[in-house]
Amino acid sequence: MDIRNLLTRFLSQQGYEVGSAMTAAEVGAVLAVRKPDLVLLDLMLPRESGHDICRLIRGHGATPIIMVTALADVRERIAGLDLGADDYVSKPFDLGELAARIRAVLRRPPGDLAPVAPAQQPGYRFGNWTFIPEKRALYSAEGVRMTLTGAETDLLLLLWNHVGKLMSRQQIIELLYHAPGAVEERAIDLLVSRLRRKLAHGGRQLEMLRTVRGDGYVFDPGTGLPDAGAAN
């Protein structure tokens, strides 16, 4: 039994409604008519790049993506995370671990709800942004909405809860993934880089999220203290 049939049967037994697609064209056809709650994306496809399909899915919104990738292929994992994947499992993997990772990703707030103006609900305010984790989004004072992936949302919320404190890469890994060594330190660097690029739309991104060479990162939203009107 190939991995696609194995996962389809296993996830169906877990109570999920499961569909499958083999090509970018098939994925695009599915996304045109429905939005999956989660995508398991095998990077080792016979005719097309899994990374290209990851880009295609991201072009349709923030549907959570869990990559399925070879154990030794660290570069593939990092590239997938940099494209916006939320998590990965390495082959060979335990089906129980996969089920746990799926549950963890699905517990995250949805990222493609209709935009809501920052003034209409509480959020975490800093610089030019209002950060609303429940929407997985940043809203600028000018009305720009910047959608975040689940991993970017988790990272920004973690940094917010440690404003002004130096966070090493290993600390970030342990707090985000609840296990030391869950991902490579390079993956954290790329995750920070992605978040910086999105913060750049509001200006001062380098000052907000500073690199301390050799040690880690410090998040300083401007005053060094949470805004008085921010959510608790």
Side-chain angles (χ1 to χ4, degrees), residues 11-231:
L11 293 172
S12 297
Q13 291 171 347
Q14 296 293 306
Y16 297 107
E17 181 182 347
V18 184
S20 65
M22 289 289 291
T23 66
E26 291 178 4
V27 171
V30 171
L31 294 174
V33 297
R34 61 184 301 184
K35 178 190 170 187
D37 293 319
L38 181 141
V39 173
L40 286 177
L41 175 60
D42 194 335
L43 294 183
M44 302 296 291
L45 298 174
R47 295 183 298 276
E48 296 174 284
S49 166
H51 293 147
D52 289 341
I53 293 180
C54 187
R55 290 188 190 93
L56 171 65
I57 296 168
R58 274 289 160 264
H60 282 77
T63 297
I65 299 171
I66 298 180
M67 300 181 298
V68 180
T69 184
L71 178 63
D73 205 341
V74 176
R75 290 176 300 177
E76 292 290 318
R77 298 201 301 264
I78 291 174
L81 291 168
D82 193 35
L83 288 171
D86 294 86
D87 201 354
Y88 70 85
V89 291
S90 299
K91 301 175 188 176
F93 54 83
D94 179 81
L95 290 175
E97 177 190 0
L98 174 64
R101 288 182 180 269
I102 290 173
R103 290 193 297 269
V105 171
L106 289 176
R107 281 196 296 268
R108 293 171 175 167
D112 274 344
L113 301 179
V116 176
Q120 294 179 304
Q121 66 179 57
Y124 300 86
R125 293 189 285 279
F126 58 92
N128 195 44
W129 293 113
T130 297
F131 170 43
I132 303 178
E134 292 78 12
K135 300 294 184 184
R136 284 167 61 175
L138 292 163
Y139 294 89
S140 76
E142 294 76 28
V144 175
R145 179 178 188 254
M146 189 64 58
T147 301
L148 303 176
T149 66
E152 291 162 357
T153 300
D154 291 346
L155 174 62
L156 185 52
L157 191 57
L158 173 66
L159 293 170
W160 179 269
N161 289 327
H162 295 81
V163 165
K165 297 180 181 178
L166 175 64
M167 300 289 292
S168 72
R169 293 167 179 81
Q170 280 303 317
Q171 284 177 310
I172 292 172
I173 290 170
E174 290 180 23
L175 291 170
L176 281 185
Y177 299 95
H178 309 293
V183 299
E184 303 290 332
E185 290 190 2
R186 175 61 175 156
I188 298 302
D189 293 336
L190 291 170
L191 181 58
V192 168
S193 177
R194 278 165 37 200
L195 183 57
R196 272 202 184 115
R197 287 198 295 269
K198 292 185 176 180
L199 290 172
H201 290 268
R204 297 187 61 253
Q205 79 280 11
L206 294 178
E207 296 175 42
M208 288 182 188
L209 185 45
R210 302 197 314 270
T211 299
V212 179
R213 189 175 297 278
D215 291 321
Y217 299 98
V218 175
F219 179 60
D220 182 354
T223 63
L225 294 172
D227 186 279

